[in-house]
Amino acid sequence: MRREEMLERVRARGEPWDLLVIGGGATGVGVAVDAAARGYAVLLAERSDFGKGTSSRSTKLIHGGVRYLRQGNFGLVTESLRERATLRDNAPHLVNDRSFLVPAYAGWERAYYGIGLGLYGWLAGKRGFGASRVVSRDEALSRVPALARRGLRGGVVYHDGQFDDARLLVHLAITAAEQGAVLVNHAPVEELTRDGAGAIDGAIVRDLETGETLRVRARGVVNAAGPFGDAVRRLADPAAPASMSPSQGIHLVFDRSFLGGSDAVLVPRTEDGRVLFAIPWHGHVLAGTTDTPIGIVPDEPKPLDAEVDLVLRTLARYLDRAPSRSDVRAAFAGIRPLLRATTGRATSKISREHAIRVEAGRLVTITGGKWTTYRAIAEEAVTSAAAVAGLPARRSRTVTLRVHGHGTVLDPEDPLAVYGSDAAAIRALAHEEATLARPLHPALPTTGAEIVWAARHEMARTVEDALARRTRALYLDASAAAGMAPEVARLLARELGRDAAWVEAQVTSFRALARDHTVGSEQ
Ligand SMILES: Cc1cc2nc3c(=O)[nH]c(=O)nc-3n(C[C@H](O)[C@H](O)[C@H](O)COP(=O)(O)OP(=O)(O)OC[C@H]3O[C@@H](n4cnc5c(N)ncnc54)[C@H](O)[C@@H]3O)c2cc1C
């Protein structure tokens, strides 16, 4: 995946693309993989970086959704469990089996959660991850040593899928490119264009690095702009009514010692009636999430103080050692592009299902969905977009299509495990140049070799691309990531041919971003 080559292919294309995909999140990249694998000519334009939107800010679960079970949404749970198994088959280097403990403090809880999670396992059928079972107080404490002891009666253990969202996205982008798709990041769609008959026939895309404007013609256009989908719809029809109710969710990241052991914890009911997870992730603990309805969708959402306090209060009820603001290594927020409810329901009650609508002739917009079901959503969207664009009908191939990197499955504790079969080449880079083998900061295992790899093969163009999404340094320890920024900027400048002024500007802007990923002192 080399950006210059991708842009050259855009410039050189004489005939219209079969499909133009707007947005490089799970939905858009999933569409690009599916469409390219069917043999359609696909161009994907992402206005910032792949995964800059919601798709790098999730809870990182490939799951049926225990809370959807509680809502009685069996259709979504069953479909998600099926997709969970498919994704583990196709991307075993990125989707792991994780055991979860649901602690029980009231007498009825063990039986209640035991029955519910038994049903969850039964719905997964033969392709389940592991059977659930009721455990004693002693076993609960041995699995999660940091659990609050007072009143603990035991719990229920069940299994679900865990992944690294931005890494899966990058590997899907590479998969799409391997199938023939052209993908360009830092390239917003600024206008939709129309033919003489008034039908949408393409778009104006800008290369943010040079300012060049590209006129792109396409038989069909897929709007996969997630929370920004309505803004894209309004490029076609300024009067288009809102189709979604955006809702923010945050996560806080702590040292691993706050949980201990290797089980995740599911808090079955927070004070606002939701579930909350605390999950081991890349040697840390990831805790979240919240559900806060918002009006305007910001480009860079920030955790609200009330959300941070809610997560901390909930953890304090369930953990022996209550974490405080000063224990937060990183904090991040994401926006759910939820389907707009017909009634005034709370956003936590709105279905995570998706809708695909065709408007203004040839604009196919996907709204809603979740990471777990991205493949099924993409399959449905491509079938619909191909019909709208008048393309020859072809069957989807993604149920059995392997995701880039699938050939090597390393121990999940290995920092390079998320690279799958690319890990060997990254180790070779570190071997060739000893300075690239050293961690860039004592708090994290991220090395210069990963940054060079990201620039050469994964289209990382900025310090943020490299530290937020190709590696997860920003989301694991924001201060450590800020400390790495000068070295990362120098490495990228060497790879991309940038000057000292670029390095300085990159460091300044990344440090400002890193500050927004901390939570500040006690309120
Ligand atoms: C807090 C939280 C936790 C979640 N946890 C989970 C979970 O554990 N498991 C799960 O299955 N799902 C989870 N989800 C849901 C899942 O993350 C989302 O459904 C999914 O990431 C949405 O992907 P998307 O591609 O539709 O949107 P996005 O990832 O937001 O992608 C849209 C992209 O479009 C780009 N774009 C916008 N306008 C333009 C333009 N004009 N030109 C070009 N590009 C443009 C944006 O830059 C963005 O990158 C969670 C969501 C949130 C918010």
Side-chain angles (χ1 to χ4, degrees):
M1 279 217 306
R2 296 186 66 81
R3 191 170 182 276
E4 291 77 11
E5 282 167 22
M6 296 287 186
L7 281 169
E8 208 33 63
R9 285 168 66 188
V10 178
R11 288 187 205 101
R13 187 155 179 104
E15 53 179 320
W17 298 88
D18 288 334
L19 293 178
L20 165 67
V21 183
I22 305 173
T27 308
V29 175
V31 166
V33 172
D34 188 291
R38 293 192 206 202
Y40 298 135
V42 187
L43 169 64
L44 180 147
E46 161 56 49
R47 73 171 181 183
S48 172
D49 183 32
F50 306 121
K52 166 73 180 181
T54 306
S55 296
S56 61
R57 303 158 187 267
S58 77
T59 310
K60 290 125 189 45
L61 296 178
I62 295 296
H63 60 162
V66 171
R67 55 192 293 247
Y68 314 131
L69 191 65
R70 191 155 79 192
Q71 291 170 0
N73 194 341
F74 295 110
L76 181 59
V77 174
T78 311
E79 182 191 25
S80 303
L81 289 171
R82 194 180 58 232
E83 288 300 318
R84 180 182 75 164
T86 300
L87 191 54
R88 185 180 53 175
D89 289 348
N90 292 334
H93 56 305
L94 282 161
V95 179
N96 310 117
D97 180 341
R98 173 70 68 189
S99 41
F100 288 72
L101 177 75
V102 187
Y105 288 88
W108 56 271
E109 284 180 323
R110 282 207 306 172
Y112 179 74
Y113 299 129
I115 292 167
L117 292 163
L119 174 63
Y120 189 64
W122 179 79
L123 285 172
K126 285 200 195 93
R127 300 177 79 198
F129 275 39
S132 65
R133 65 192 180 86
V134 173
V135 297
S136 66
R137 173 189 156 89
D138 283 351
E139 184 173 347
L141 284 171
S142 76
R143 301 185 78 104
V144 184
L147 217 50
R149 284 153 195 261
R150 208 159 150 219
L152 180 69
R153 290 169 183 253
V156 180
V157 172
Y158 76 100
H159 293 255
D160 231 327
Q162 183 183 17
F163 76 128
D164 182 324
D165 46 14
R167 287 301 320 166
L168 177 58
L169 192 63
V170 171
H171 283 230
L172 284 170
I174 299 172
T175 308
E178 287 167 349
Q179 295 295 321
V182 171
L183 303 96
V184 188
N185 56 1
H186 301 286
V189 166
E190 294 189 336
E191 277 174 50
L192 293 172
T193 55
R194 292 175 189 268
D195 63 17
I200 288 173
D201 70 347
I204 303 290
V205 180
R206 185 175 298 277
D207 173 4
L208 288 181
E209 292 191 355
T210 60
E212 180 187 358
T213 295
L214 299 152
R215 165 78 170 97
V216 166
R217 289 187 306 133
R219 296 188 172 91
V221 179
V222 178
N223 170 8
F228 308 96
D230 281 345
V232 170
R233 287 172 61 233
R234 285 174 192 141
L235 293 177
D237 173 10
S243 68
M244 68 182 84
S245 302
S247 148
Q248 171 161 303
I250 72 148
H251 291 89
L252 305 180
V253 178
F254 304 93
D255 287 346
R256 181 84 171 250
S257 59
F258 278 95
L259 213 49
S262 61
D263 275 21
V265 170
L266 182 155
V267 171
R269 189 170 285 275
T270 57
E271 58 194 57
D272 61 348
R274 299 174 35 76
V275 301
L276 186 131
F277 294 96
I279 312 173
W281 188 60
H282 290 321
H284 291 69
V285 174
L286 175 72
T289 177
T290 52
D291 200 325
T292 311
I294 54 160
I296 294 163
V297 179
D299 288 353
E300 189 57 68
K302 294 185 187 66
L304 305 173
D305 278 333
E307 294 180 295
V308 173
D309 291 338
L310 175 64
V311 174
L312 289 174
R313 263 199 319 276
T314 307
L315 292 175
R317 276 172 43 216
Y318 285 86
L319 298 181
D320 230 11
R321 182 163 57 113
S324 66
R325 282 179 169 254
S326 58
D327 296 312
V328 177
R329 295 273 167 266
F332 59 91
I335 309 295
R336 297 176 189 86
L338 299 181
L339 278 176
R340 198 174 179 79
T342 41
T343 58
R345 283 187 297 169
T347 48
S348 60
K349 300 276 184 324
I350 300 175
S351 162
R352 267 50 175 166
E353 276 159 330
H354 66 280
I356 294 174
R357 74 186 80 214
V358 182
E359 290 165 314
R362 283 183 211 152
L363 182 65
V364 174
T365 297
I366 308 158
T367 312
K370 51 193 216 135
W371 241 120
T372 308
T373 48
Y374 86 90
R375 192 212 60 79
I377 295 172
E379 176 179 339
E380 188 186 334
V382 173
T383 300
S384 164
V388 169
L391 304 176
R394 293 178 191 149
R395 288 167 72 94
S396 172
R397 293 179 42 225
T398 51
V399 168
T400 52
L401 185 72
R402 303 294 197 203
V403 174
H404 177 87
H406 80 280
T408 306
V409 181
L410 300 168
D411 178 344
E413 296 295 319
D414 184 326
L416 294 186
V418 288
Y419 293 93
S421 53
D422 288 340
I426 297 169
R427 283 196 227 282
L429 266 179
H431 192 67
E432 278 163 28
E433 203 179 327
T435 53
L436 297 183
R438 280 200 310 263
L440 293 163
H441 189 281
L444 292 173
T446 315
T447 62
E450 290 176 76
I451 307 301
V452 170
W453 179 262
R456 288 187 194 165
H457 303 286
E458 298 181 342
M459 244 195 235
R461 309 296 294 182
T462 66
V463 171
E464 182 191 333
D465 296 353
L467 289 178
R469 292 171 292 276
R470 301 308 181 282
T471 72
R472 308 314 305 272
L474 178 66
Y475 288 168
L476 291 169
D477 190 327
S479 304
M484 296 176 188
E487 181 59 17
V488 171
R490 275 193 294 277
L491 286 169
L492 290 176
R494 191 183 80 174
E495 292 298 317
L496 305 174
R498 306 288 195 242
D499 60 14
W502 183 88
V503 169
E504 200 183 317
Q506 282 289 308
V507 173
T508 305
S509 77
F510 184 78
R511 286 194 163 153
L513 181 74
R515 267 194 302 281
D516 285 342
H517 284 72
T518 58
V519 298
S521 50
E522 311 292 333
Q523 295 297 294

